Amino acid sequence: MHTKTIAQLSAALRSGEISSVELTTLFLARIKQHNPALNCYISITEAQALEAAATADRRLKEGDATPLTGIPIAHKDIFCTEGVKTTCGSKMLDNFIAPYESTCTAKFAAAGAVMLGKSNMDEFAMGSSNETSYYGAVKNPWDQGRVPGGSSGGSVAAVAARLAPAATGTDTGGSIRQPAALCGLTGLKPTYGRVSRYGMIAFASSLDQAGPVTYSAEDAALLMNVMAGFDERDSTSVEREVPDYTAELTNSIEGLKIGLPKEYFDGGLDDSIARVIESAIQAYEALGAVVKEISLPNTALAVPTYYVVAPAECSTNLSRFDGVRFGHRCDDPKDLFDLYTRSRGEGFGAEVKRRIMIGTYVLSAGYYDAYYLKAQKIRRLISEDFRAAFETVDVIMGPTAPSTAFKLGEKADDPVTMYLSDIYTIAVNMAGLPAASIPAGFVDGLPVGLQVIGNYFEESRLLNVAHQYQQATDWHLQVPAEFQ
Ligand code: GLN
């Protein structure tokens, strides 16, 4: 039962083959068994989950169920969940019980999904390996000596090890797609503004976006049906109709125009990864797609530009953690200045401090024009690259990450190498576009992800393109041996 997709579990719940309480109990038992090794959950909300499951069973009996009623799910610990500890992977929020619910998690609860717990993550979603979490590193279920990717590493490891059938993640520069690639899952970062950010702890507000982590594109569509939509409490959410994301899954992709950016296949890409991506592209050609080389000339500027914009936004967003209103407060402060500096000094980890310092620097009066303003201009050029590309192609494909999962500790002391893990994913956030990572094969037993980038609000097309590939392949159904 634990290896079934949500679509299958939903059918099993409706037919009465299993109840939500039984299903939830099964996943809770798996979490107890495997979480000590994998460390993918920060909090396990057992009592609350069993209660929600019992309610879901009543809804199922009364015929008032949605496709997600009774389905267990893990939420990234970046979403505020009322009455439940919400840490964002930081010591700063180790004692924080959220007083309100994020829109995203509220929508899942309203649909009848059962929250199993809150998943581990890089501190304040800053990282690509899940090693910056105050709660310790998460292990990759495919090889526990390796990282699961980040920052949604806990969500992704939980789903890959079948400790949850699906999870939520957030993606500011790649944090859904890169870990999904490293753990062999389907991850979707929606168009900026498609999913409400209300109650999602802010890292870089112009880039942050929540999305689903699932086995299959079909499951991602089921989650998107719940997550997507306008929210008046998020001024950047877009008032636009939400389609049924499952409706186009089965459309033919005959004639689909795929663009392959030549910059994505230059130099930095591991040969073995390039071969996996090439065979995925061939599979698409066999399904009737046509392939065309394109150019995204400003690709090389995406990472450096992001590391001006994201730290700038984080330095202002994280100024609210001052030891006064919520979060960590130092003992016996001498005066207000001491309270601020020691609370922040003790509460934040090294990577977060590094970003706050960079952000404060690039926003300072003397450097604003040279760095922040310049970065904003390059950001526009990056968006223009994509706009031009989408005049001639329907989707853009390439690798999600430049390598498979790396060893724990391998890049932890070298921030720049770590930042390059997101070289193929970051430009998408800079432009606000939707993109998915789908499992496309293995190299030395480790999963490889294919990235599919779409035009604004074309999530349905991305899911259709992913689903058609998943009908022809079974990479997305592989389960690590220990967790079968
Ligand atoms: N790895 C990138 C960073 O460290 C992206 C993180 C994210 O998408 N949240 O900022």
Side-chain angles (χ1 to χ4, degrees), residues 76 125-128 150-151 170-175 203 306-307 355 422:
K76 185 173 180 177
M126 299 173 197
S128 305
S151 66
T170 63
D171 192 313
T172 303
S175 281
F203 161 12
Y306 172 90
Y307 279 98
R355 308 258 182 132
D422 297 310

Side-chain angles (χ1 to χ4, degrees), residues 137-409:
V138 175
K139 313 287 161 46
N140 188 317
W142 292 95
D143 176 347
Q144 293 183 34
R146 292 176 187 269
V147 305
S151 66
S152 310
S155 288
V156 169
V159 178
R162 275 48 179 173
L163 308 190
T168 50
T170 63
D171 192 313
T172 303
S175 281
I176 290 175
R177 290 160 288 154
Q178 183 258 13
L182 270 44
C183 286
L185 295 173
T186 302
L188 174 70
K189 176 229 163 303
T191 307
Y192 183 75
R194 182 75 288 193
V195 176
S196 170
R197 293 183 298 108
Y198 179 79
M200 195 176 107
I201 296 171
F203 161 12
S205 311
S206 76
L207 301 159
D208 298 342
Q209 191 61 196
V213 171
T214 53
Y215 310 140
S216 67
E218 184 183 17
D219 283 2
L222 292 169
L223 263 65
M224 279 299 287
N225 279 350
V226 174
M227 300 173 86
F230 174 66
D231 179 6
E232 62 183 17
R233 288 177 299 185
D234 170 5
S235 60
T236 60
S237 85
V238 177
E239 207 161 352
R240 185 183 170 112
E241 202 187 327
V242 179
D244 174 358
Y245 288 102
T246 63
E248 291 180 26
L249 290 174
T250 54
N251 288 3
S252 158
I253 57 165
E254 182 83 46
L256 177 82
K257 293 199 251 6
I258 300 176
L260 301 180
K262 63 176 195 292
E263 294 80 3
Y264 286 20
F265 296 87
D266 281 356
L269 182 64
D270 210 284
D271 276 352
S272 51
I273 307 256
R275 277 197 294 278
V276 170
I277 301 303
E278 276 154 24
S279 65
I281 304 293
Q282 279 160 12
Y284 272 106
E285 287 179 308
L287 291 168
V290 286
V291 173
K292 177 180 168 190
E293 188 183 271
I294 58 164
S295 174
L296 299 171
N298 292 295
T299 295
L301 298 178
V303 171
T305 310
Y306 172 90
Y307 279 98
V308 172
V309 173
E313 294 187 19
C314 108
S315 72
T316 62
N317 271 326
L318 270 57
S319 64
R320 74 193 58 171
F321 301 103
D322 55 9
V324 177
R325 289 158 295 184
F326 43 75
H328 178 73
R329 175 180 294 183
C330 67
D331 290 333
D332 304 321
K334 281 200 303 290
D335 52 29
L336 188 61
F337 187 73
D338 185 43
L339 169 74
Y340 287 158
T341 51
R342 271 202 296 129
S343 299
R344 287 168 68 79
E346 292 166 8
F348 291 137
E351 183 61 27
V352 173
K353 286 178 186 158
R354 179 180 298 128
R355 308 258 182 132
I356 292 174
M357 285 192 282
I358 296 171
T360 308
Y361 181 81
V362 301
L363 288 176
S364 60
Y367 296 101
Y368 182 91
D369 287 359
Y371 294 108
Y372 184 71
L373 200 62
K374 184 75 147 197
Q376 293 291 29
K377 290 179 181 168
I378 299 173
R379 183 174 186 178
R380 168 58 67 92
L381 296 178
I382 292 169
S383 303
E384 284 297 313
D385 283 358
F386 284 110
R387 196 195 48 73
F390 283 121
E391 278 174 8
T392 60
V393 297
D394 301 318
V395 293
I396 296 171
M397 289 191 186
T400 305
S403 70
T404 52
F406 43 92
K407 293 210 170 74
L408 286 157

